[in-house]
Amino acid sequence: MHAALRIDAGSDRPVSEPPALRLTTLGALRLVSSTVGEDVVIYEGANKALALFTYLACAPGRGATRAHLQELLWERQAPEAAQQSLRTYLWKLRKLLPPEAITGDEFVVLHHTCDVDRDALVDAANRGDADTVVARYTGEFFPSYTQPDSPQFDAWVQSERLRLRGIYSRCAERVIATAIDGGRFREAIEVGRSLRDSEPLDEAGWRPLLNALLVSGDSVNAANESAVLLRTLTADGREPLPATASLLSAIARMSRLDNAPDIDLNRYVTPLIARDREYSQLLASWTRARDGAAAHVHLRGSAGMGKSRLLDDFATRLQRERAAVVRARADIGRRALPYAFIGVIAAQLASRRGAAAISPGSMSALLAINPALSSFFNGAPDTSTGDEALRRRTLALSELIAVLSDEQPLAIVLDDVQWADSDSCRLLAGAFASSDAMSCLLLTAAREGLPAAFAESRSDTM
């Protein structure tokens, strides 16, 4: 790695300029040192050293305490081993980076300038530059990283992936709509396919593509894409949401007129059979919650019985009423990670207006659940463990929900909770049990009955 040379003003002597650092985190992992006419790859691919550097580069103030870094990246190691691991990886980074790039003893700081593609994307979104966001989103954040001894880092990565993909999705939809309005159908379809490919299991991500194909009159590709979506939903035990079903119906009509491949939509769209009573009960529960009496309603039923569609219809109605709606689906692949599901929920809650009004103690407790909340909260993660940690985190989540519901009636809609980790269920149940004077409705759905953690709570099961 070589330093560039410049001539200092008033002197003939060349002065070394430290190389610039460039970090790629979207779709690939790479740390590059750049000088005039030369790029040197320092690290490439998923590894613990790059995980440590990436967290420092993305953290507020580009720094963190040693204790936090040890728990974040070596939680499953003994304290002495975690300390040694952190010392080793800091030594490796300092050996390869410019002098004084990483400094600090108890508080480790990345001092050297580093261009991060994740920051460039967020900056473009803040400027309202949707085209740049779409161009810069080249894949998920920090891909292909799995380390069994760092579940907290995994939770932070997952939260960042959700946040950045949400930014990309909203900007892609704007670019598609603008292209359609301007008659640039090829561009709209191309961006629509990229959006769909970024998360093929996300039904909402298919709709902009289907709409672009429909508006452009491309009946053959519209029918083919619809068939792929329907097969995907069926394999996952889901049925199309109302907004999707409406698009599919329009595509089916266009396909028949154009003699394109036919779509047997009726085989896939499950009507809300015997769900009128449940929908009315949900509305009644929401009315009570909106008026200040917190409620928990649980839907149960086997796959394909319309639970997800009922949740979607109900959430859409609440959003039309200008309620605050937070939605999440538990992931079976993260069931063994403590507090994984509640970390995702807390990240969505923390991003809402008014969340920063909670107490510093609650911020600290929530940061211990999900380090990614440092994007919204100041302070260091709480270091308590065991039952005391659960107590503090429960009170913190209850305070966050209470603060947000004071601003605006709040609905927390959670699907597939049979896959949620037990610690998340205990914390969520405790947060709702600690106060019933909140304008908040908790709506959960599962293929099984009420999760054991809610056994003693005031819950209505349908």
Side-chain angles (χ1 to χ4, degrees), residues 266-314:
N266 293 326
R267 289 192 299 143
Y268 297 96
V269 181
T270 304
L272 287 171
I273 298 173
R275 289 294 190 182
D276 289 345
R277 178 177 60 84
E278 287 91 338
Y279 197 88
S280 298
Q281 289 177 340
L282 288 179
L283 288 175
S285 297
W286 170 246
T287 300
R288 292 193 298 272
R290 187 183 56 198
D291 293 340
H296 172 213
V297 179
H298 181 70
L299 300 176
R300 63 180 178 184
S302 57
M305 294 301 291
K307 300 185 304 301
S308 296
R309 183 176 172 189
L310 181 59
L311 291 183
D312 291 323
D313 283 354
F314 187 67

Side-chain angles (χ1 to χ4, degrees), residues 168 228 245:
Y168 163 68
V228 174

